[in-house]
Amino acid sequence: MVNCIVTGTAGRMGRRIVDILIETEGADVTGATERPGHDIIGMDIGDYLGLGKKGAAIADNLASVAGAGDVVIDFTLPDVSARHIMAAVDAGKAMVIGTTGFDEKGLAQISEASSKIPIVFAPNMSVGVNLLLKVLHDIASVLDEDYDIDIVETHHRHKKDAPSGTALKMAQVVAAGRGRDLDEVGVFTRHGIIGERKRGEIGVQTLRIGDVVGEHTVIFGTMGERIEITHKASSRDVFARGAVKAALWVAGMKPGLYNMHDVLGIK
Ligand code: NAD
């Protein structure tokens, strides 16, 4: 049995993750946290999930409940995740991090923590997107810079970071497929008299609309033809199921930084 602690348990992702953990054989929820002051702090996890008492209360900080599980699953906010990573390292617990929007400092903290605990870190935990990342790398390594590349992502109006972690990852993957560095060829805004498109640039455009769960289209286009590859998530369950799969997988691993390709065995 892999015992999991879910942070941000009342969030859009947190709530789906606890529900899927409960229905997954070999997994259980033995701890949960929410932000200080949230209505569910102090509630029994079992009561919160409608399963009857479990004897563990929802806490307002991870350090106080980290001992109760094997793996911490974190889908919150970058600054909150930073504190959760410190607590998981102190308690020697494995982590699955789905939070997006980390800056350089946050990414460095994750990398450093992974020398002490096993961490699966992925901006998108769906099988479809992770398979697509492999395909995108292959396509970008064949099509030269005669092919313009733009990525368009759409998410719900509540999303806080832009572009999405998935769009950034896709942009990094196609840049790497071409042997280029995204920091040099990435273009994240276009406005005004910007001149002709530069050869080799990789554009990333962001849309924020209503309740869209997550859509990404990668366009490779040249004179006379265009390839468009789209992934549409219509339910957060694809990410939550991926996170639970990652938790079961990472529980038995040595310290290190892993991604969903490792979890899913995509080479
Ligand atoms: P959300 O705002 O619905 O949920 C975040 C939760 O964290 C909220 O309930 C909030 O109260 C809670 N929180 C805030 N401070 C806290 C604290 N100190 N301790 C504990 N909990 C705290 O957001 P969401 O839509 O669930 O997304 C969360 C993150 O996951 C975002 O970064 C999003 O981009 C990312 N995400 C990743 C994937 C993936 O597959 N990797 C998929 C979807 C979303």
Side-chain angles (χ1 to χ4, degrees):
M1 179 65 68
V2 175
N3 292 325
C4 300
I5 299 173
V6 180
T7 59
T9 195
R12 280 176 286 266
M13 283 303 301
R15 179 67 220 212
R16 291 310 302 139
I17 290 167
V18 288
D19 283 343
I20 286 166
L21 278 168
I22 294 298
E23 64 188 48
T24 301
E25 209 172 305
D28 196 10
V29 187
T30 49
T33 76
E34 246 304 332
R35 69 174 158 71
H38 197 285
D39 292 351
I40 66 168
I41 299 300
M43 251 177 106
D44 186 272
I45 306 170
D47 285 341
Y48 174 62
L49 298 173
L51 299 170
K53 284 232 175 313
K54 252 174 153 321
I58 298 171
D60 67 2
N61 70 92
L62 178 61
S64 66
V65 290
D70 308 305
V71 182
V72 175
I73 306 180
D74 181 82
F75 283 67
T76 55
L77 289 158
D79 58 329
V80 175
S81 295
R83 293 199 292 280
H84 291 160
I85 292 163
M86 285 192 272
V89 168
D90 286 348
K93 303 297 176 182
M95 274 193 103
V96 173
I97 304 174
T99 305
T100 60
F102 288 99
D103 58 15
E104 290 299 321
K105 198 171 149 219
L107 296 173
Q109 185 200 6
I110 293 171
S111 168
E112 204 185 312
S114 72
S115 66
K116 302 188 182 88
I117 57 170
I119 299 178
V120 175
F121 174 48
N124 192 306
M125 304 226 170
S126 86
V127 173
V129 160
N130 283 285
L131 185 60
L132 198 52
L133 289 173
K134 178 176 160 43
V135 172
L136 289 173
H137 182 276
D138 292 350
I139 294 174
S141 65
V142 174
L143 300 179
D144 66 17
E145 290 187 348
D146 259 353
Y147 284 77
D148 302 325
I149 304 178
D150 262 27
I151 298 168
V152 185
E153 62 103 342
T154 311
H155 281 84
H156 54 90
R157 61 168 68 146
H158 303 291
K159 185 163 177 62
K160 297 184 180 70
D161 55 316
S164 70
T166 305
L168 267 180
K169 184 73 189 172
M170 288 172 160
Q172 284 160 358
V173 162
V174 291
R178 275 190 168 169
R180 302 297 300 268
D181 183 347
L182 186 64
D183 288 342
E184 283 159 23
V185 295
V187 173
F188 296 89
T189 51
R190 293 191 183 110
H191 181 226
I193 310 296
I194 57 168
E196 288 186 11
R197 183 188 176 105
K198 289 192 191 66
R199 188 177 161 85
E201 82 181 28
I202 295 174
V204 183
Q205 308 298 322
T206 295
L207 279 69
R208 291 289 173 262
I209 310 280
D211 61 354
V212 177
V213 172
E215 297 184 2
H216 295 85
T217 296
V218 184
I219 306 160
F220 299 85
T222 189
M223 298 308 177
E225 71 172 355
R226 194 163 79 229
I227 300 170
E228 296 189 3
I229 302 178
T230 297
H231 178 271
K232 295 185 181 182
S234 49
S235 159
R236 289 186 174 82
D237 285 13
V238 288
F239 312 127
R241 286 188 199 289
V244 170
K245 202 180 271 251
L248 293 174
W249 182 88
V250 81
M253 299 305 290
K254 289 201 281 265
L257 188 54
Y258 305 100
N259 59 31
M260 285 306 284
H261 282 194
D262 299 314
V263 174
L264 299 170
I266 297 174
K267 297 272 183 309

